[in-house]
């Protein structure tokens, strides 16, 4: 999963109020409990030092949330009197409301409550063209559309020479439109970065588009009869197909990354490492934008370890003096997981939640935090770096 949707949070200095709120209550007293939970969250923030405008903005936003079973809750992030992001949750938080006031937005619970499933690009295809839609962590959003030639599109039942020629022209139009759609779909995938692709529509049209996709996309694409451009298409079943495709990709990706992580944590013949684990090594890697995939085990003991951070994502260290050296004279303390997730989001690194019983892996990253690196590094050189900065 890429965390680019969180970048609006990291473009502001903070401090931040982070609230995880359960909206799945359906009891008779749900409204009263909703109001009490909202007030308790705001009171907790005020006790922790949150400013009044931010508390008021969050209180109004919490009271305005609708109660339903889907989504199961919301994560709200606010600073300087403004709610900057409202993210839907797939699972409710552990309690009716959880609130933090901190230097960085507390985003780690999002990995558990929304999952780290990748975005999916859905193409609704017919003979005339296609509509594209991205299914991501914040719901669905339009991702473009394309139209092909509009005439001729329909066959006839006659069998004389002129009609057979007409039918061939229709076939040529279909083939042309399939190529146009495939090209536009490949561009939409490059633009969105969604690694999962679902083709919805009539069998002939979606198969024709599938066959004209670049080989890498053909292998990743899933076809379904559910959903389409026509009114009344069975889109409720489409959601199941999309979620299954996203879950399958996530499972394969976690196993692949863990295999590479286990191999990369051991030095190669030149003594170089392709993976890092533990807070000191990850801080060094984050400073140099070397994290390619960040691994997070939710129960790891290092997630809540405190580190020092500056305004910029690559300003992080184990000591306050390091942040001043990196150019920020007003360092603040933050959780290690939030500091590393900020770095991952702003450097377009992938983030994966590693639940060891589910993956079947023999072991995960030390302390619950690890990374695949964008390039290998010399173990001795890295160790010397830690000696001077730690």
């Amino acid at each position: 999963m890429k965390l680019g949707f969180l970048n609006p949070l990291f473009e502001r200095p903070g401090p931040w109020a982070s609230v995880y709120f359960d909206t799945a209550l359906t009891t008779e007293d749900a409204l009263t409990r909703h109001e009490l939970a909202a007030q308790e969250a705001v009171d907790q923030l005020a006790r922790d030092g949150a400013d009044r405008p931010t508390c008021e903005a969050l209180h109004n936003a919490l009271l305005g949330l609708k109660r339903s079973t889907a989504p199961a809750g919301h994560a709200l992030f606010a600073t300087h009197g403004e709610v900057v992001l409202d993210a839907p949750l797939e699972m409710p938080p552990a309690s009716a409301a959880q609130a933090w006031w901190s230097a960085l937005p507390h985003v780690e619970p999002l990995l558990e409550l929304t999952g780290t499933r990748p975005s999916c690009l859905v193409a609704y295809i017919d003979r005339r063209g296609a509509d594209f839609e991205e299914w991501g962590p914040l719901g669905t959003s339009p991702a473009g559309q394309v139209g092909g030639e509009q005439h001729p599109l329909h066959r006839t039942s006659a069998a004389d020479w002129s009609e057979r020629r007409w039918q061939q022209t229709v076939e040529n139009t279909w083939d042309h439109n399939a190529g146009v759609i495939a090209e536009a779909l490949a561009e939409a995938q490059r633009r969105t970065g969604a690694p999962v692709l679902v083709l919805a529509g009539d069998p002939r049209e979606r198969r024709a588009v599938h066959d004209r996709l670049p080989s890498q996309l053909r292998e990743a694409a899933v076809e379904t009869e559910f959903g389409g451009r026509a009114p009344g298409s069975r889109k409720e079943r489409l959601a199941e197909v999309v979620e299954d495709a996203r879950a399958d990709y996530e499972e394969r990706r976690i196993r692949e990354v863990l295999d590479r992580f286990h191999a990369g944590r051991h030095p190669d013949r030149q003594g170089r490492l392709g993976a890092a684990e533990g807070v000191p090594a990850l801080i060094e890697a984050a400073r140099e934008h070397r994290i390619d995939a960040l691994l997070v085990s939710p129960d790891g003991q290092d997630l809540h370890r405190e580190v020092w951070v500056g305004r910029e994502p690559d300003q992080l260290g184990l000591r306050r003096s390091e942040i001043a050296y990196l150019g920020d004279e007003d360092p603040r303390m933050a959780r290690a997981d939030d500091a590393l997730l900020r770095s991952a989001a702003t450097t377009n690194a992938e983030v994966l939640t590693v639940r060891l019983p589910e993956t079947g892996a023999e072991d995960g990253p030390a302390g619950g935090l690890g990374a695949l690196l964008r390039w290998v590094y010399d173990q001795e050189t890295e160790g010397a770096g830690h000696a001077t900065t730690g």
Side-chain angles (χ1 to χ4, degrees):
M1 180 183 189
K2 298 293 183 74
L3 300 183
F5 70 98
L6 294 177
N7 280 335
L9 304 182
F10 303 130
E11 293 168 355
R12 305 191 185 200
W16 285 90
S18 307
V19 177
Y20 292 80
F21 199 82
D22 184 355
T23 55
L25 294 173
T26 56
T27 58
E28 292 184 0
D29 63 343
L31 180 59
T32 299
R33 295 173 67 181
H34 184 134
E35 293 173 347
L36 288 174
Q39 189 61 54
E40 289 174 2
V42 170
D43 289 345
Q44 180 63 54
L45 291 168
R47 288 193 294 270
D48 292 341
D51 58 279
R52 183 172 179 178
T54 297
C55 288
E56 291 178 349
L58 267 173
H59 190 246
N60 291 335
L62 292 172
L63 292 180
L65 294 176
K66 294 182 179 179
R67 308 211 64 80
S68 65
T69 56
H74 290 257
L76 282 73
F77 303 92
T79 186
H80 298 290
E82 179 184 357
V83 177
V84 179
L85 182 66
D86 176 356
L89 303 177
E90 294 181 5
M91 295 180 291
S95 58
Q98 297 175 306
W100 289 267
W101 178 249
S102 51
L104 298 178
H106 185 35
V107 299
E108 189 276 330
L110 278 175
L111 305 185
E112 281 289 283
L113 301 178
T114 66
T116 53
R117 291 180 182 173
S119 296
C120 175
L121 187 63
V122 178
Y124 303 95
I125 301 167
D126 65 15
R127 299 174 186 177
R128 292 175 170 81
D131 300 320
F132 306 142
E133 194 171 56
E134 183 179 6
W135 296 44
L138 298 182
T140 61
S141 59
Q145 62 180 181
V146 61
E149 293 184 2
Q150 304 301 303
H151 181 81
L153 288 170
H154 302 287
R155 290 174 170 173
T156 68
S157 58
D160 61 38
W161 179 85
S162 62
E163 295 303 335
R164 289 198 300 272
R165 184 177 181 183
W166 174 267
Q167 289 175 10
Q168 183 60 51
T169 303
V170 170
E171 293 281 351
N172 292 340
T173 301
W174 289 357
D175 290 342
H176 170 80
N177 287 356
V180 170
I181 294 169
E183 184 178 349
L185 186 53
E187 174 57 32
Q189 192 278 332
R190 286 191 291 270
R191 186 176 66 254
T192 62
V196 182
L197 184 61
V198 170
L199 308 181
D202 293 334
R204 187 193 186 284
E205 284 73 29
R206 68 173 189 258
R207 172 50 52 174
V209 171
H210 179 276
D211 291 345
R212 288 162 176 78
L213 289 171
S215 59
Q216 185 175 0
L217 291 186
R218 276 203 308 273
E219 296 173 1
V222 174
E223 293 186 60
T224 178
E225 61 182 305
F226 304 115
R229 300 183 91 191
S233 298
R234 293 175 290 177
K235 292 188 178 181
E236 66 279 358
R237 296 291 300 277
L238 174 64
E240 298 177 13
V241 174
V242 170
E243 288 310 303
D244 286 346
R246 295 172 73 187
D248 288 346
Y249 178 90
E250 180 186 31
E251 181 179 353
R252 293 194 308 270
R253 183 60 179 158
I254 287 175
R255 291 184 180 277
E256 175 191 349
V257 170
L258 276 175
D259 288 344
R260 292 173 56 196
F261 175 77
H262 292 149
R265 74 202 312 188
H266 303 294
D268 62 15
R269 293 180 178 178
Q270 287 75 41
R272 300 173 303 177
L273 297 174
E277 57 189 329
V279 172
L282 290 171
I283 283 179
E284 193 74 19
R287 285 178 180 173
E288 299 175 358
H289 301 185
R290 283 194 284 117
I291 294 179
D292 187 44
L294 180 67
L295 308 180
V296 181
S297 297
D299 297 327
Q301 61 184 6
D302 279 350
L303 273 66
H304 53 77
R305 178 175 173 177
E306 290 190 324
V307 298
W308 289 94
V309 298
R311 287 178 175 265
E312 300 300 324
D314 53 5
Q315 293 174 329
L316 64 168
L318 297 177
R319 293 183 176 181
R320 180 187 179 97
S321 57
E322 296 176 54
I323 309 305
Y325 176 79
L326 294 171
D328 192 327
E329 298 295 334
D330 185 26
R332 298 156 292 165
M333 298 196 78
R335 290 174 53 119
D337 54 0
D338 290 330
L340 292 169
L341 287 168
R342 177 177 69 159
S343 174
T346 55
T347 58
N348 200 36
E350 187 176 9
V351 176
L352 295 170
T353 298
V354 180
R355 301 175 181 87
L356 297 183
E358 295 181 14
T359 61
E362 57 183 21
D363 60 340
L369 294 169
L372 281 181
L373 303 179
R374 288 180 168 140
W375 60 86
V376 297
Y377 67 90
D378 185 275
Q379 192 174 14
E380 293 184 1
T381 301
E382 188 78 359
H386 289 161
T388 59
T389 61

